[in-house]
Amino acid sequence: MTPFGDDPYPAYARLRARGAAVWDAGTGQWLVARPPDGGALLRVRRLGRVAPQPPVVAPGTEPFWRLQWAGLLDMEAPDHPRVRRLVSRAFTPAR
């Protein structure tokens, strides 16, 4: 496991200290570590929810990106409604 994977909280604290949104040139994306900021961004529909694929995947992070690209929370239509219908029965009070 990477040092980040062993204890990510110091990295999160450094990220939060840098501001609401921080550009990460290594992954080619904006990083948001504060829950209110992330929640606000998720409500901006024009930004979408599909995670961009980084130009270069850092060593040891490929499993993370494979999950990130396949996650239901990050899907847009038409994939999101289709997959949500498939899994919705597993997320009921009876289950």
Side-chain angles (χ1 to χ4, degrees):
M1 181 141 263
T2 65
F4 176 82
D6 290 340
D7 184 11
Y9 299 104
Y12 294 153
R14 288 190 302 274
L15 184 60
R16 285 191 301 272
R18 290 178 59 194
V22 177
W23 177 253
D24 182 65
T27 62
Q29 62 187 346
W30 288 94
L31 304 176
V32 179
R34 294 185 270 196
D37 300 326
L41 284 173
L42 287 173
R43 287 186 291 279
V44 180
R45 295 298 300 155
R46 68 181 172 79
L47 297 177
R49 290 196 176 91
V50 178
Q53 295 188 11
V56 177
V57 175
T61 64
E62 194 272 333
F64 165 81
W65 286 109
R66 187 171 52 242
L67 288 172
Q68 181 71 21
W69 297 322
L72 178 64
L73 295 177
D74 293 319
M75 288 182 184
E76 294 284 359
D79 295 324
H80 183 274
R82 178 182 55 81
V83 174
R84 184 176 175 175
R85 277 192 301 275
L86 291 171
V87 302
S88 64
R89 285 185 229 132
F91 296 96
T92 64
R95 296 274 178 177

